[in-house]
């Protein structure tokens, strides 16, 4: 049944259909990580986001984190960290002021060490923003905890102004195969190729509200933002993947077209102008017959992307070296190749920092050095990619990287395991 028809069903019908969803189906997506490893952390940890306890508030070089089992995915939220284990368990640590950890942290220092989130189902993917966390289960169900915020404060999670300190199930009419989080918005790709969004809409990042409704839903109220709804496109477009920047979203169709919506004040979406995109735009700057795009990562005002040949590109704001295009580089409105990196397998961003992981498992970093997130051991900005080194990286390959507001988390494995 087409998504736009199900989206208009009466509430009673939606609930009935939700109960009727096939629970035995196991979903899969190329983004689901399966390779297990150990976790390294670096940067600032003043609210426990490094997970190293109350005595370690910063790390200039990657430090090994003690966890009860090996992990397959690591995500850095704004001021918290989320780790997904091989068994499908979720561990969190860091700031829990608004419930982003999804667990009890009343004990002294309990938020500063990894703790397990109580979830009944096996989780296969996690995502996190400034104050929220999400988990996708193997049966295509989604759980959220924490809250979304806008410029005026808390807006809620699934209900207006209500923060959830424990996981709550997202009511969906379709099975979900991929999740992604921006600072305060959340996106899901369904088995049927539809996009659903929820959260803050002030910068157009939901892609489904006109400018009249972005301020707390306007006359429709906050529920219009918080209850996930499908993003409508002209014509029939099926989506295969989605990626989030802080205030913007990229979606790739099954036909390979790249769409974007949200904030583009520094051309971070690749639009020719700098107007906010409240509805999805087919981004012509990514149309190139010789390339297919396989990975996107967005910071506060910039984007890093990766093509199928392993070449890294950047666009958007250039300050502090976040584009990796050399000292003196200026803002870019279309993908520009980042030199000095061997073929890469993935890219990731923090607000003002960028990373690429090579096929050999090396990590390159560039951008603002203030929070020690780059792993150079210094606070200097890096305008071109530098290879991250350190004792804990010796004889280890980097599988995954994620960067939050002030810290970075890595997933690594011993090279002899490769």
């Amino acid at each position: 049944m087409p998504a736009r028809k199900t989206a208009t069903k009466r509430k009673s019908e939606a609930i009935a259909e939700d109960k009727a969803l096939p629970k035995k189906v196991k979903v899969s997506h190329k983004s689901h990580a399966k390779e297990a490893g150990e976790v390294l952390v670096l940067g600032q940890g003043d609210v426990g986001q490094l997970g190293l306890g109350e005595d370690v508030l910063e790390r200039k070089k990657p430090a090994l984190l003690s966890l009860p089992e090996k992990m397959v995915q690591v995500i850095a939220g704004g001021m918290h960290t989320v780790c997904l284990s091989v068994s499908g368990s979720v561990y969190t640590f860091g700031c829990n002021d608004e419930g982003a950890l999804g667990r009890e942290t009343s004990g002294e220092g309990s938020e500063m060490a990894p703790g397990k989130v109580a979830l009944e189902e096996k989780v296969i993917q996690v995502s996190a923003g400034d104050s929220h966390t999400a988990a996708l289960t193997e049966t295509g169900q989604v759980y959220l905890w924490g809250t979304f915020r806008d410029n005026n404060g808390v807006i809620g999670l699934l209900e207006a102004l209500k923060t959830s300190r424990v996981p709550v199930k997202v009511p969906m009419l379709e099975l979900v195969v991929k999740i992604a989080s921006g600072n305060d918005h959340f996106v899901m790709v369904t088995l049927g190729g539809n996009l659903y969004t929820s959260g803050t809409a002030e910068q157009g990042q939901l892609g489904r509200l006109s400018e009249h409704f972005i301020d707390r839903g306007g006359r429709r109220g906050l529920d219009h933002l918080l209850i996930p709804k499908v993003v409508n496109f002209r014509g029939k477009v099926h989506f295969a993947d989605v990626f989030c920047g802080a205030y913007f979203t990229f979606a790739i169709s099954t036909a390979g077209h790249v769409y974007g919506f949200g904030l583009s004040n520094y051309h971070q979406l690749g639009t020719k102008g700098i107007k906010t995109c409240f509805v999805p735009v087919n981004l012509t700057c990514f149309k190139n017959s010789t390339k297919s795009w396989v990975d996107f990562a967005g910071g506060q005002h910039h984007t890093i992307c990766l093509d199928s040949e392993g070449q890294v590109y950047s666009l958007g704001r250039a300050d502090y070296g976040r584009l990796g295009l050399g000292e003196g580089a200026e803002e870019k409105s279309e993908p520009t190749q980042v030199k000095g990196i061997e073929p890469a397998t993935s890219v990731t961003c923090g607000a003002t920092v960028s990373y690429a992981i090579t096929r050999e498992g090396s990590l390159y970093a560039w951008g603002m050095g203030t929070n020690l997130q780059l792993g150079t051991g210094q606070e200097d900005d890096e305008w071109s990619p530098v290879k991250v080194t350190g004792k804990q990286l010796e004889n280890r390959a980097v599988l995954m990287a994620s960067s939050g507001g002030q810290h970075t988390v890595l997933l690594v494995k011993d090279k002899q395991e490769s």
Side-chain angles (χ1 to χ4, degrees):
M1 184 178 288
R4 61 183 65 188
K5 290 185 180 178
T6 57
T8 59
K9 281 183 176 292
R10 294 190 302 273
K11 189 173 181 181
S12 58
E13 290 177 274
I15 293 171
E17 243 184 88
D18 185 41
K19 289 180 179 177
L21 281 174
K23 302 298 183 185
K24 300 298 182 184
V25 173
K26 290 187 178 182
V27 299
S28 65
H29 189 270
K30 64 180 181 180
S31 64
H32 299 166
K34 295 180 174 63
E35 204 164 7
E38 296 179 290
V39 177
L40 303 181
V41 290
L42 65 149
Q44 301 294 332
D46 53 323
V47 292
Q49 63 266 54
L50 298 182
L52 298 172
E54 299 175 83
D55 298 328
V56 183
L57 300 184
E58 71 173 28
R59 287 293 307 200
K60 293 182 178 181
K61 287 285 189 176
L64 184 63
L65 180 63
S66 177
L67 287 157
E69 51 185 320
K70 286 197 171 184
M71 300 292 146
V72 293
Q73 189 189 1
V74 291
I75 292 287
M79 297 176 74
H80 73 290
T81 306
V82 186
C83 299
L84 176 62
S85 77
V86 288
S87 68
S89 298
V90 177
Y91 295 83
T92 59
F93 43 95
C95 182
N96 198 32
D97 290 353
E98 289 168 337
L101 300 191
R103 60 182 178 85
E104 176 61 48
T105 56
S106 57
E108 184 71 28
S110 59
E111 75 280 4
M112 305 190 86
K116 193 173 179 179
V117 179
L119 286 158
E120 294 181 5
E121 296 185 64
K122 181 181 179 180
V123 174
I124 55 174
Q125 192 169 54
V126 290
S127 70
D130 273 359
S131 303
H132 77 275
T133 305
L136 171 66
T137 74
E138 63 180 353
T139 59
Q141 312 301 307
V142 177
Y143 291 83
L144 278 173
W145 55 94
T147 191
F148 298 115
R149 297 177 63 90
D150 66 8
N151 287 331
N152 295 309
V154 168
I155 65 168
L157 191 68
L158 289 170
E159 293 182 57
L161 306 177
K162 287 190 177 179
T163 294
S164 181
R165 305 191 75 84
V166 295
V168 290
K169 190 176 180 181
V170 179
M172 284 292 291
L173 302 176
E174 301 183 61
L175 298 181
V176 176
V177 297
K178 165 96 187 266
I179 58 175
S181 291
N183 278 16
D184 285 288
H185 75 290
F186 179 60
V187 188
M188 297 173 278
V189 180
T190 69
L191 193 59
N194 290 313
L195 285 185
Y196 284 77
T197 60
S198 65
T200 300
E202 288 173 324
Q203 294 83 18
Q205 58 266 59
L206 299 190
R208 59 175 175 81
L209 287 94
S210 71
E211 199 167 350
H212 301 292
F213 298 102
I214 61 170
D215 184 9
R216 299 204 162 196
R219 66 177 182 271
R220 296 181 182 178
L222 281 169
D223 285 350
H224 194 52
L225 307 181
L226 299 176
I227 297 171
K229 292 188 175 75
V230 72
V231 180
N232 289 314
F233 292 80
R234 290 179 181 176
K236 290 185 177 179
V237 183
H238 290 85
F239 286 89
D241 219 337
V242 70
F243 308 89
C244 291
Y247 309 110
F248 52 100
T249 306
F250 288 99
I252 303 179
S253 72
T254 52
H257 298 294
V258 180
Y259 293 80
F261 43 93
L263 191 66
S264 197
N265 56 339
Y266 289 91
H267 302 284
Q268 56 264 49
L269 282 179
T271 51
K272 289 180 180 177
I274 57 171
K275 287 185 178 180
T276 297
C277 299
F278 293 101
V279 296
V281 176
N282 193 338
L283 300 170
T284 56
C285 73
F286 292 102
K287 285 183 179 177
N288 187 317
S289 59
T290 64
K291 294 186 185 74
S292 61
W293 300 95
V294 296
D295 200 12
F296 286 80
Q300 186 178 37
H301 297 131
H302 79 293
T303 298
I304 306 294
C305 41
L306 179 70
D307 71 15
S308 56
E309 297 173 357
Q311 301 302 309
V312 178
Y313 296 78
S314 63
L315 61 155
R317 190 175 183 179
D319 297 6
Y320 312 112
R322 72 191 85 184
L323 296 187
L325 301 176
E327 200 151 356
E330 297 181 346
E331 188 176 304
K332 300 295 180 184
S333 60
E334 56 184 51
T336 306
Q337 189 173 350
V338 180
K339 303 290 180 65
I341 308 172
E342 305 97 78
T345 57
S346 66
V347 291
T348 193
C349 288
T352 53
V353 292
S354 308
Y355 306 84
I357 298 172
T358 72
R359 292 173 182 172
E360 301 302 314
S362 295
L363 177 70
Y364 284 82
W366 59 96
M368 183 187 281
T370 305
N371 296 312
L372 302 170
Q373 288 174 273
L374 300 181
T376 61
Q378 307 297 322
E379 294 187 3
D380 299 333
D381 300 339
E382 295 291 347
W383 287 76
S384 297
V386 293
K387 192 172 182 178
V388 181
T389 59
K391 184 179 178 182
Q392 296 296 343
L393 286 171
E394 291 176 7
N395 301 312
R396 283 184 170 138
V398 179
L399 301 172
M400 184 179 296
S402 182
S403 190
Q406 298 176 319
H407 73 297
T408 299
V409 56
L410 310 176
L411 185 68
V412 300
K413 71 170 185 177
D414 292 341
K415 285 186 175 177
Q416 53 263 38
E417 293 179 22
S418 301

